[in-house]
Amino acid sequence: NSLSRALELTGFRMPSTSYSIRIRSDIPVQAGLGSSAALAVSVVRFLSALGAEIADSFALALEIENIFHGKSSGIDIACVLASEPICYRRGAPAEELQMNWLPHLYLFDTGLRSATKDCVAKVERAQRTDLDAFPDETGRQAHLSGRVAAALMAKASELLSRPPSIESADVLAAKLPGM
């Protein structure tokens, strides 16, 4: 189980006191809402509260979440550990976004259930397919310098604490179970 794996990875020996761990969560499982990440981070925080020396909470929680998914992207772990909006790139530390304004965020549960492994496999297949919304670099640049982009850039100083950085991305994807 996740606690046993965490103990193995940290080399931490539980105090002789007995513990009863009860988990209550309102996060539905297999909904793509990060329930396994929440559990993994909870285990890390539990061990830390007991005195375990944990050098990298993210790395340990990622190893624990791998028990559930095989190979976690880490995005859910980064989000659970963050206290501010973040920019996450696999293999790099999460970067807190310094924003003067926070958007209204809405989270919807579609009621669809699917194993994360299945969703990850579908995203990986999609990454191997050319899903570019623009026919070429000229079309992409025309979009980035169009009226909507200009209007957003005009408001950037009101909305953001620093100028935005526009970068190319290989895949932009929504995390939707059952997709």
Side-chain angles (χ1 to χ4, degrees), residues 8 15 22-23 35 62 70 74 78 87 89 106 132 139 145 173:
E8 178 184 315
R22 182 176 25 177
I23 299 170
S35 60
L62 186 67
C87 176
R89 290 179 183 89
Y106 299 93
D132 203 342
S145 60

Side-chain angles (χ1 to χ4, degrees), residues 39-53:
L39 175 61
V41 170
S42 294
V43 167
V44 171
R45 289 179 175 162
F46 171 71
L47 291 176
S48 181
L50 291 178
E53 292 183 27

Side-chain angles (χ1 to χ4, degrees), residues 80-150:
V80 171
L81 288 169
S83 59
E84 300 289 331
I86 62 169
C87 176
Y88 178 79
R89 290 179 183 89
R90 185 182 237 168
E95 177 186 341
E96 281 194 4
L97 299 175
Q98 302 300 316
M99 302 175 71
N100 294 332
W101 168 81
L102 291 178
H104 294 283
L105 301 174
Y106 299 93
L107 185 62
F108 297 95
D109 180 10
T110 63
L112 298 173
R113 299 295 179 256
S114 177
T116 300
K117 285 182 183 182
D118 296 340
C119 291
V120 168
K122 288 177 183 179
V123 169
E124 286 175 347
R125 280 194 302 276
Q127 286 176 328
R128 292 189 297 270
T129 305
D130 186 6
L131 298 175
D132 203 342
F134 304 100
D136 55 26
E137 188 60 27
T138 303
R140 183 177 294 105
Q141 290 307 316
H143 176 74
L144 291 173
S145 60
R147 289 189 347 239
V148 173

